[in-house]
Amino acid sequence: MKIKDLSLKNFTAFEQAKFNFCDGINVLIGTNGTGKTHAMKAMYAVVSTSSDWNKIFNIKNINNLIRNHNDDNEDIAFYKNIETTQGLIYNQISLIKISIEEIKAEIKLSISKSEEVSPIYLPTIEMLSIYDHFFATYERREIPYDRICYDLALALNAAVLRKTHADYQSVEPIINNLQEIITGSKNTEHDVVVKESEHFYFNLNGNKLDVNLVADGYRKLGTLFYLLRNGSLTKNSILFWDEPEANLNPKLIVKVAKILQALAAAGMQIFIATHDYLLSHELSLLAENPIALKFFSLYQPNEQLSVIVEEGQTLADIAHNPILEEFAAHYDREVELFSN
């Protein structure tokens, strides 16, 4: 399954927008509040088995997803239409409509579909350290996490695959690479991340360490490792990753860019939202190689206008790049300071 394009109308920050995706890595950049996470959550809500939009967006009223909605109006319709055309590959178009009287929000998703694949969404929150008792506390609504975190916990709950399993073997080099990045060793005798009695541990430097004693950045990479190790992420998966750079030092960010390249080369479709200069530019360099990669800049001409989507094959093709603009402004401030 590959997501081909996404159309949004009257949905949160978007009055009307269209994304044309590639089969490899799709990078969303933009300032805070321009809808990067909302676009990814909308796609996840359509392709996943989780259909509760209130829980996915962690809101009480679905009206809040409609741009310029009226809180006083409770006349809501919410439905999903799927049209399927059979052929060598199934082409599926999913249409979500959220309507309040004459104001309608629409989400159209075009998908090339050859088999059912469960998507994985990695939020900015690191999940390994809060996995213990997560399900019970979530069901009692004692924690303010959305449905995406719950789905991720379910994926982490799966047992690891045998090393003879086809899904493991298809991504084994990536698993080994992640293990080496985290441990600094090529020794793969013991998995770097293990789960025992519903608690996670890391095998580091010959010691089994409680997950809470491991740095956040390594826990983040450990989550990716374990999802590959237990078959929740396969070469045919769709991966949504919100701010991969969070809690990672620059050396690890460069390595994450190469891991993303390897996952895409294996067949995975990837969507990431990032604010990071290094990650976005490393990925742009990778786009010079034969790899499917596209950039999407989400920007507002001013605060009163809707978000506009601009796309390009590399960052050089993007006219509105807030990451680069702020780094250029930093350089100007530095020059001004030291030239006086």
Side-chain angles (χ1 to χ4, degrees):
M1 175 190 292
K2 304 291 183 184
I3 298 175
K4 295 300 183 182
D5 58 68
L6 169 68
S7 297
L8 300 172
K9 180 180 179 181
N10 292 331
F11 181 76
T12 64
F14 304 95
E15 182 175 327
Q16 192 148 356
K18 177 75 175 288
F19 299 78
N20 297 292
F21 298 119
C22 71
D23 289 350
I25 305 172
N26 298 276
V27 185
L28 279 61
I29 64 173
T31 58
N32 292 107
T34 51
K36 300 182 300 298
T37 297
H38 288 178
M40 292 204 303
K41 281 188 173 183
M43 288 186 283
Y44 178 82
V46 174
V47 299
S48 74
T49 56
S50 301
S51 58
D52 193 330
W53 287 62
N54 298 73
K55 290 183 178 179
I56 288 175
F57 283 85
N58 207 13
I59 54 176
K60 292 182 179 180
N61 192 338
I62 201 170
N63 292 19
N64 294 321
L65 295 177
I66 300 179
R67 180 175 172 82
N68 299 324
H69 73 279
N70 183 350
D71 285 324
D72 295 331
N73 194 323
E74 298 297 331
D75 182 20
I76 304 172
F78 179 62
Y79 56 93
K80 176 176 180 178
N81 294 331
I82 299 179
E83 301 175 358
T84 304
T85 302
Q86 293 189 0
L88 295 177
I89 296 179
Y90 295 91
N91 295 316
Q92 184 184 71
I93 299 178
S94 299
L95 170 61
I96 306 294
K97 284 188 178 180
I98 311 163
S99 61
I100 303 176
E101 288 189 347
E102 299 303 319
I103 304 174
K104 295 182 179 180
E106 297 184 2
I107 302 159
K108 296 181 181 179
L109 202 65
S110 298
I111 304 168
S112 67
K113 182 178 177 183
S114 56
E115 60 180 292
E116 290 290 343
V117 176
S118 296
I120 292 290
Y121 195 117
L122 297 181
T124 53
I125 299 168
E126 179 275 310
M127 283 293 297
L128 289 187
S129 61
I130 61 174
Y131 177 84
D132 293 23
H133 311 298
F134 181 90
F135 298 108
T137 52
Y138 179 86
E139 293 297 339
R140 292 197 297 264
R141 303 188 65 82
E142 294 176 359
I143 48 179
Y145 299 129
D146 58 35
R147 175 62 192 234
I148 283 172
C149 293
Y150 181 83
D151 291 346
L152 179 55
L154 285 177
L156 290 169
N157 190 47
V160 297
L161 298 174
R162 295 180 182 273
K163 292 189 176 182
T164 56
H165 196 286
D167 285 340
Y168 172 85
Q169 293 181 343
S170 67
V171 293
E172 183 176 11
I174 305 172
I175 292 174
N176 292 341
N177 191 6
L178 276 168
Q179 175 127 347
E180 183 179 350
I181 291 171
I182 298 171
T183 65
S185 170
K186 293 183 179 294
N187 184 1
T188 58
E189 182 179 356
H190 301 289
D191 286 341
V192 64
V193 181
V194 295
K195 180 159 63 76
E196 297 178 3
S197 301
E198 300 308 307
H199 189 80
F200 282 97
Y201 298 88
F202 276 68
N203 288 314
L204 294 173
N205 303 318
N207 299 311
K208 189 171 77 171
L209 296 180
D210 188 287
V211 65
N212 293 296
L213 298 178
V214 179
D216 280 3
Y218 286 130
R219 292 202 296 251
K220 202 163 192 178
L221 296 181
T223 302
L224 185 61
F225 171 91
Y226 201 79
L227 293 170
L228 289 165
R229 187 67 182 83
N230 71 6
S232 294
L233 270 177
T234 72
K235 65 179 183 178
N236 297 316
S237 294
I238 298 175
L239 172 63
F240 300 94
W241 197 351
D242 207 343
E243 298 184 24
E245 70 277 4
N247 298 319
L248 296 183
N249 67 49
K251 287 186 178 180
L252 286 180
I253 288 174
V254 172
K255 292 178 180 180
V256 164
K258 293 181 179 178
I259 289 292
L260 290 171
Q261 179 188 29
L263 291 171
M268 193 178 299
Q269 188 179 29
I270 300 167
F271 298 86
I272 69 169
T274 182
H275 295 283
D276 190 73
Y277 176 91
L278 185 56
L279 178 60
S280 60
H281 281 72
E282 282 292 319
L283 290 172
S284 190
L285 289 177
L286 295 178
E288 303 295 337
N289 298 319
I291 179 174
L293 194 150
K294 286 190 75 172
F295 287 87
F296 299 85
S297 173
L298 283 60
Y299 68 96
Q300 288 177 282
N302 60 59
E303 293 183 359
Q304 284 70 44
L305 296 179
S306 170
V307 168
I308 296 173
V309 178
E310 179 187 14
E311 60 185 66
Q313 301 298 323
T314 68
L315 284 176
D317 300 325
I318 298 294
H320 299 84
N321 183 345
I323 302 172
L324 183 59
E325 289 166 5
E326 192 53 42
F327 268 81
H330 169 77
Y331 176 78
D332 291 341
R333 291 192 295 270
E334 188 177 49
V335 169
E336 182 181 1
L337 176 65
F338 290 105
S339 62
N340 293 331

